Amino acid sequence: MVIKNGQVIFEKGYGYHTYSKKEPTTIHNIFDLASVSKIAGTTPVIMRLTEQGIVDLDKPIGDYLWQAKATNKRDIRLKSVMLHEAGFTPFIPFYRNLKSGDLQSYDSPTHHVKVADSCYLVNNYYRDVMWPEMLYSEVKPEGNYVYSDISMYVMKEVAEHQTAIPMQKYVQDNFYRPLGMKTAGYNPRDRFAKQDIIPTEQDTSFRKVLLQGYVHDQGAAMAGGVAGHAGLFATANDLAIYGQLLLNRGEYGGERYFETKTVDLFTSKQSLTSRRGLGFDRWDPNLKNEYPSKLSNATVYGHTGYTGTCIWIDPANQLVYIFLSNRVHPQVSTKLLNLNIRSRIQDAIYEAMAAGKK
């Protein structure tokens, strides 16, 4: 999907849901956005709370989370967390630590966390096992850029502690519903038919079933489908609404959702050691030929997702580019990356714009 100057100039679905070719992909299908959740789920919540003075990014984690006060995380500033400069471990494979009996094929009073069709996790696994493991995990010196999913687990915890509202409810009430984003949200199987949602991996190691409407990311699934770094599902159209809101610097449909200065702060380069904004990824001057596009520019910000997704917002050209795919079906593949599909499509958009000016 491509939006230029507030108008949709291209939107099309390609291929099929799976290689059986029974269900053609349409523009109305719902995709697992993976790490696009970071900027379309968690970050707008932090933007709003920062505006309201409820969260101060210059304060440390320990000021907001009492559980962190006795750990090596207590003095790390929230700004460093948002920039992936907190020194966190990049990734913890939580599902590999599961014990016999933690998973079962049916719902019960002891196993009520549904992680996939016919797959239920023991209750409170996130609270009792995952969150403590993150809190007490190793940290390296603050200031170096190391991309870590733990960052947005932390920011979700901070947001929920400060608002006393579950993040999935907060984003629906404050952003998605008033913006007219009809599909965006977590745990889409609670709201939509299974066949409307693009299936992801044929999971052979953890859940042992085709994942359809349950988040691909294992940690997010074990956290109940709602995590700071993953869990969000949406159509391209819903994501376009959010992209246009940012491109409009906080205003959409005659309503103001953010102050202009807030959008400018979070989306602009805020790191001395990387290309990053606050939560947002950005154009990389050191990777001009590939990230996110060889023709992009210093104003461009957005994010990619592990499942094969991206949204890039280009204020200089008043452009929003969205690509949703499923590179993890039937199993995780590097083909999308090897062929550089997302960047090459973005290149083609810029080339078409240039040709249109001649």
Side-chain angles (χ1 to χ4, degrees):
M1 188 172 185
V2 184
I3 300 94
K4 169 76 170 151
N5 298 328
Q7 300 294 317
V8 176
I9 60 170
F10 191 87
E11 184 179 19
K12 189 173 179 181
Y14 294 84
Y16 298 85
H17 288 203
T18 68
Y19 290 109
S20 68
K21 297 188 175 181
K22 291 178 181 175
E23 287 277 345
T25 302
T26 76
I27 61 173
H28 305 294
N29 287 141
I30 299 165
F31 283 76
D32 180 339
L33 300 181
S35 282
V36 171
S37 306
K38 292 179 169 79
I39 65 159
T42 310
T43 299
V45 178
I46 298 300
M47 290 166 71
R48 173 67 62 85
L49 299 182
T50 301
E51 265 188 4
Q52 294 175 338
I54 294 170
V55 167
D56 183 343
L57 296 183
D58 289 320
K59 288 188 176 178
I61 297 171
D63 279 20
Y64 295 98
L65 302 176
W66 64 267
Q67 296 160 302
K69 287 185 177 179
T71 75
N72 53 14
K73 313 287 187 300
R74 64 182 176 273
D75 296 325
I76 297 172
R77 291 180 310 145
L78 296 184
K79 183 176 182 181
S80 295
V81 177
M82 294 290 286
L83 292 171
H84 294 279
E85 294 176 7
F88 293 157
T89 300
F91 175 69
I92 300 175
F94 296 107
Y95 71 101
R96 294 180 190 167
N97 301 328
L98 289 167
K99 299 183 182 69
S100 176
D102 285 343
L103 287 176
Q104 63 183 35
S105 61
Y106 55 94
D107 189 10
S108 74
T110 58
H111 291 66
H112 199 57
V113 180
K114 194 171 186 182
V115 292
D117 287 307
S118 303
C119 190
Y120 295 84
L121 177 67
V122 66
N123 297 345
N124 300 319
Y125 193 87
Y126 173 79
R127 184 196 70 190
D128 297 342
V129 179
M130 292 172 62
W131 180 235
E133 185 173 352
M134 284 185 267
L135 279 174
Y136 289 95
S137 62
E138 178 189 7
V139 292
K140 293 185 175 173
E142 195 176 345
N144 295 316
Y145 173 61
V146 179
Y147 185 80
S148 172
D149 284 342
I150 295 175
S151 298
M152 286 302 185
Y153 277 107
V154 168
M155 295 313 298
K156 173 181 175 288
E157 290 287 337
V158 169
E160 291 186 338
H161 180 270
Q162 292 304 99
T163 62
I165 300 169
M167 192 174 71
Q168 65 269 36
K169 177 173 170 49
Y170 191 96
V171 291
Q172 285 292 349
D173 292 348
N174 288 275
F175 302 114
Y176 303 158
R177 200 170 290 116
L179 281 164
M181 295 167 68
K182 293 181 170 57
T183 60
Y186 301 84
N187 292 315
R189 286 283 294 277
D190 293 345
R191 296 172 292 131
F192 299 101
K194 183 177 180 178
Q195 62 266 26
D196 293 338
I197 308 164
I198 299 291
T200 52
E201 187 175 4
Q202 182 71 51
D203 189 341
T204 58
S205 61
F206 168 29
R207 289 164 277 188
K208 306 212 166 64
V209 69
L210 176 65
L211 304 176
Q212 189 164 5
Y214 294 94
V215 60
H216 178 264
D217 182 273
Q218 297 95 339
M222 295 164 75
V226 186
H229 69 295
L232 193 61
F233 287 72
T235 58
N237 188 74
D238 274 5
L239 205 50
I241 292 171
Y242 179 63
Q244 192 64 47
L245 164 70
L246 294 171
L247 198 55
N248 295 346
R249 297 167 79 195
E251 185 271 334
Y252 186 87
E255 299 290 329
R256 181 152 291 281
Y257 293 84
F258 300 111
E259 296 175 18
T260 298
K261 65 180 182 182
T262 304
V263 176
D264 291 349
L265 173 70
F266 276 73
T267 60
S268 60
K269 186 177 184 296
Q270 292 296 316
S271 172
L272 299 175
T273 58
S274 82
R275 63 182 183 251
R276 305 289 299 205
L278 294 167
F280 290 90
D281 200 0
R282 292 184 41 78
W283 170 80
D284 194 325
N286 299 313
L287 296 171
K288 287 181 185 176
N289 294 326
E290 53 183 293
Y291 198 80
S293 158
K294 65 185 180 184
L295 299 173
S296 56
N297 59 74
T299 71
V300 174
Y301 61 88
H303 218 283
T304 59
Y306 184 81
T307 48
T309 59
C310 72
I311 176 170
W312 291 106
I313 296 144
D314 179 347
N317 287 290
Q318 286 296 294
L319 183 74
V320 179
Y321 159 53
I322 295 161
F323 176 82
L324 304 179
S325 78
N326 180 22
R327 77 172 185 94
V328 297
H329 183 85
Q331 261 85 46
V332 174
S333 162
T334 60
K335 187 171 283 189
L336 187 75
L337 297 171
N338 295 343
L339 294 174
N340 203 22
I341 297 295
R342 287 173 282 196
S343 295
R344 287 167 58 201
I345 292 173
Q346 197 169 356
D347 293 345
I349 295 165
Y350 283 120
E351 287 162 0
M353 285 165 44
K357 291 177 181 176
K358 291 179 181 176

